[in-house]
Amino acid sequence: MGDGWILGIESTAHTFSFGAVTSDGTPIPSASSIIRPIEGGIHPREAADHHSEISGELLRRLLSEQDLMMDDLEGVAFSQGPGLGPCLRVGASVARAISTSRKVPLLGVNHCVAHIEIGRAICGCDDPVLLYVSGGNTQVIARLDGRYRVLGETLDIGIGNMLDKFARHHGFPFPGGPEIERSALAHLEIVPNPSIENLELPYAVQGMDLAFSGILNAADTLVQKGASFESVCWSLQEHAFAACIEVAERALAHTGKSELLLGGGVACNERIRNMTSVMCEERGALGHWPPKMYCVDNGTMIALLGRLQMISSGPTDLIDSAVDQMLRTDMTAIAWS
Ligand code: ATP
Ligand code: FE2
């Protein structure tokens, strides 16, 4: 192996991130910046402005922190979708500019598939069911006949989006998930054995699919009626995570697979990791999750998938490099093992 490396640029939503892998596929940590709106949700154009302003600084940071040389660059990958159009276009433009000026292959990749492949690579699992729990997405996925098939997914909002909205309604800025995790733990310190019946919330499972807006409204109402924010955070986590784990378990049973891999920002949560361990242990399966920096959006996973594509199917032609806001997990052909 020489010093060759592949750059990955992530820009689907709130996070702009430059990461890399070596030419043999070893992950190199990313340099990232997250836009945190003072109030309200993420405004696509403001996020895109943030991304273009910080772009040069992040690339310089990646190069200096990881001791990488532009002369050794062998390819540049970017998130082609799904995501917010203005944000995706910043990443794509930066990638096209670098690819053209350095004369290296351009690689447009599917963001959702990148969450899967970084987990497979780092956790060393082969053919898992993936529980992909992020802000915008909640999907249960398994590989079959050269595609990652979506076996079940949210019918309304992503689980992370639901957690972020609940936190925001009660005064906590994006990202709300970590604050909800802290508050749920604080509740356990006061009430070590809380009962799920005390704070009833709707059940999020709908066949193999999920829905979270009903839980969000009910949780808001509980706080309005006087329940403590901490107790509702605990109950919200128990209900929402149990629903995801139930669908994931059914996917393991249907497919006969024996590994469950967590991915996406909500996979940072210790409680969903713990529920995964318990369920997997009970059915003789193995639960996996990557380190937190590779659960949240990061450029490294984009570089890693770009490398797999470069080896298996070659680069993306400029004419095919337009972003696709609606790109789905199952739209990308999987040509690697
Ligand atoms: P995608 O485009 O894949 O949907 P995303 O834009 O939502 O990704 P991610 O970085 O994968 O970005 O996930 C961010 C989400 O993860 C946010 O909703 C955030 O609240 C949630 N999150 C992060 N840490 C935790 C945690 N410890 N517990 C629960 N949720 C968390
Ligand atoms: Fe993501």
Side-chain angles (χ1 to χ4, degrees):
M1 187 199 98
D3 292 318
W5 61 286
I6 293 131
L7 174 66
I9 304 175
E10 160 56 29
S11 73
T12 50
H14 42 71
T15 303
F16 200 51
S17 176
F18 285 79
V21 290
T22 59
S23 39
D24 70 348
T26 306
I28 297 173
S30 308
S32 307
S33 172
I34 305 178
I35 179 167
R36 296 170 204 273
I38 297 156
E39 58 181 277
I42 289 154
H43 190 293
R45 214 183 46 246
E46 282 169 16
D49 287 347
H50 158 267
H51 295 355
S52 36
E53 276 158 27
I54 198 107
S55 178
E57 185 188 322
L58 285 180
L59 179 56
R60 274 191 297 278
R61 231 176 74 197
L62 176 76
L63 296 176
S64 67
E65 283 173 4
Q66 304 301 335
D67 209 10
L68 299 167
M69 308 291 288
M70 283 306 272
D71 283 347
D72 298 324
L73 186 69
E74 293 176 347
V76 52
F78 68 100
S79 275
Q80 206 162 0
L84 305 173
C87 300
L88 287 167
R89 281 190 284 275
V90 174
S93 302
V94 173
R96 287 188 204 104
I98 295 175
S99 160
T100 309
S101 63
R102 308 299 308 187
K103 299 188 176 55
V104 294
L106 179 67
L107 301 142
V109 313
N110 183 322
H111 174 94
C112 306
V113 175
H115 273 294
I116 305 175
E117 292 301 343
I118 189 97
R120 281 185 69 216
I122 289 186
C123 303
C125 50
D126 176 38
D127 185 22
V129 165
L130 182 90
L131 176 56
Y132 171 30
V133 276
S134 65
N137 289 285
T138 308
Q139 295 182 333
V140 176
I141 299 162
R143 186 167 169 166
L144 181 78
D145 294 338
R147 302 264 160 171
Y148 283 114
R149 314 281 170 177
V150 179
L151 305 180
E153 65 186 317
T154 180
L155 301 172
D156 47 30
I157 54 176
I159 184 170
N161 203 316
M162 181 272 288
L163 297 173
D164 294 336
K165 282 187 170 159
F166 178 68
R168 198 169 74 228
H169 295 167
H170 302 282
F172 297 98
F174 176 88
E179 181 55 44
I180 290 177
E181 180 170 20
R182 269 190 297 277
S183 298
L185 284 174
H187 179 62
L188 285 183
E189 278 176 19
I190 305 165
V191 186
N193 293 306
S195 160
I196 200 96
E197 278 83 36
N198 288 349
L199 288 170
E200 237 178 79
L201 291 171
Y203 198 49
V205 175
Q206 316 249 336
M208 280 298 280
D209 291 320
L210 297 145
F212 295 105
S213 51
I215 279 201
L216 172 61
N217 289 337
D220 279 339
T221 306
L222 283 173
V223 178
Q224 278 153 18
K225 285 189 174 162
S228 74
F229 177 71
E230 289 77 10
S231 65
V232 179
C233 286
W234 177 80
S235 197
L236 190 59
Q237 284 200 165
E238 294 302 302
H239 281 82
F241 296 165
C244 296
I245 298 293
E246 181 188 324
V247 176
E249 179 170 22
R250 234 178 297 143
L252 285 172
H254 287 328
T255 58
K257 296 186 198 276
S258 57
E259 295 168 308
L260 180 64
L261 173 63
L262 298 183
V266 180
C268 292
N269 188 290
E270 296 298 336
R271 182 61 181 135
I272 201 168
R273 292 175 171 197
N274 170 258
M275 282 189 190
T276 301
S277 297
V278 170
M279 182 273 279
C280 286
E281 211 167 291
E282 279 173 2
R283 54 176 301 115
L286 285 174
H288 302 273
W289 45 84
K292 292 184 183 180
M293 69 175 163
Y294 295 131
C295 288
V296 295
D297 286 352
N298 64 90
T300 306
M301 68 181 189
I302 305 302
L304 188 133
L305 178 53
R307 174 182 170 274
L308 291 175
Q309 278 181 202
M310 189 160 79
I311 295 167
S312 60
S313 48
T316 305
D317 291 334
L318 211 51
I319 199 162
D320 299 322
S321 70
V323 302
D324 181 354
Q325 295 181 60
M326 308 301 286
L327 189 64
R328 278 183 55 84
T329 306
D330 48 14
M331 283 162 71
T332 298
I334 310 301
W336 54 90
S337 58

